[in-house]
Amino acid sequence: MGGVLGWLKRNRRDTPGPDVPAAAAGIPRWPLETWRGGLSADVPGYTTLCLTPAFPEEPETRNLRDGDALNRIIEVARTDGSTSPAMTAVVEDLLADPRYAALDSLYSWLAPVYRGTDRQLEVIEQGLRTCPRKYWLLDLAGTAMLQRGRGAEALYYWAHSVTNAESVGEGREASAYDFLIVTAHVLGERTATKAFRARADQADHPQTVLDEEYTALVERAFRKGTKAMKAVVQTLAQRVPA
């Protein structure tokens, strides 16, 4: 997934719940409203909101290698490019196929086609509403927010991504840990950086985390990190399985 979307140097393999904490005063109860209303790390309850599961996660047994889906996508990527209108057409055609409907990995090919536009957010939101597996999509949401310089929202979605992945025993597959490694480093949280590296199998390869573009985006978004952001990172690190 990471190699396909281009922000990682390494390769990796909705209905939101009603229980968003009432303490998060001033923050939209519907988690996807962060697209529109903005989410500040200075708002009371930000830390709790980031650390309280809001997107029900279910295992996904299907795979793009089942049938001809992946071959079709690779062929289009090779001939027309991964962000071409042809890619949009083939992915939307596959999503209309009952075998692949609501398959989150298809959205990971479709969202980058619309990078930087409102349509990118609409695609991710559609996936979060319909796909049983959420953590890949939550990673996409965090990255979309990072691309817009919205660090508080990016951390919110990455926190939910790794929490969801861990809930179904797929923590090591959560590429949001890669972003958290760099985020923790920028925030000066060394213990958290070490914990995230270990979980992402990056302990022995500190030079390979994010590419230069996304490293710079994280540095820009979190160089004035708040106490609430640091609290989120610290708690996530404490939750990393031993």
Side-chain angles (χ1 to χ4, degrees), residues 126-211:
Q126 180 183 352
L128 283 170
R129 292 183 185 277
T130 60
C131 297
R133 181 168 57 191
K134 301 286 196 291
Y135 72 85
W136 282 9
L137 293 157
L138 290 164
D139 185 11
L140 287 176
T143 305
M145 292 295 98
L146 179 69
Q147 291 165 348
R148 289 159 174 77
R150 294 163 61 175
E153 289 99 330
L155 182 56
Y156 168 85
Y157 287 111
W158 293 334
H160 282 276
S161 177
V162 297
T163 299
N164 276 28
E166 296 291 359
S167 75
V168 291
E170 298 183 13
R172 292 194 183 279
E173 301 300 321
S175 55
Y177 274 124
D178 297 336
F179 288 97
L180 289 173
I181 290 169
V182 183
T183 299
H185 176 73
V186 172
L187 293 175
E189 296 294 329
R190 294 185 179 180
T191 299
T193 302
K194 184 178 179 179
F196 297 147
R197 281 193 184 279
R199 191 56 174 159
D201 293 327
Q202 288 290 302
D204 297 328
H205 304 282
Q207 74 279 8
T208 55
V209 184
L210 303 180
D211 64 18

Side-chain angles (χ1 to χ4, degrees), residues 1-9 211 213-214:
M1 177 176 159
V4 168
L5 296 176
W7 57 68
L8 304 179
K9 282 188 176 180
D211 64 18
E213 176 190 1
Y214 280 89

Side-chain angles (χ1 to χ4, degrees), residues 27-95:
I27 299 176
R29 290 179 60 84
W30 186 258
L32 294 171
E33 286 183 5
T34 57
W35 293 148
R36 306 173 187 85
L39 180 62
S40 171
D42 296 323
V43 173
Y46 171 80
T47 301
T48 302
L49 192 68
C50 288
L51 297 171
T52 303
F55 300 86
E57 184 78 19
E58 299 176 28
E60 174 59 79
T61 59
R62 295 172 297 168
N63 193 298
L64 280 180
R65 290 182 173 84
D66 301 335
D68 63 349
L70 186 59
N71 289 338
R72 291 179 61 186
I73 288 173
I74 294 298
E75 180 62 25
V76 170
R78 182 183 298 115
T79 59
D80 296 280
S82 60
T83 59
S84 64
M87 180 62 72
T88 302
V90 73
V91 172
E92 290 182 345
D93 185 55
L94 289 168
L95 284 170

Side-chain angles (χ1 to χ4, degrees), residues 60 62 94-104 106-107 131-132:
E60 174 59 79
R62 295 172 297 168
L94 289 168
L95 284 170
D97 185 329
R99 294 176 298 170
Y100 306 111
L103 182 56
D104 60 326
L106 284 172
Y107 288 90
C131 297

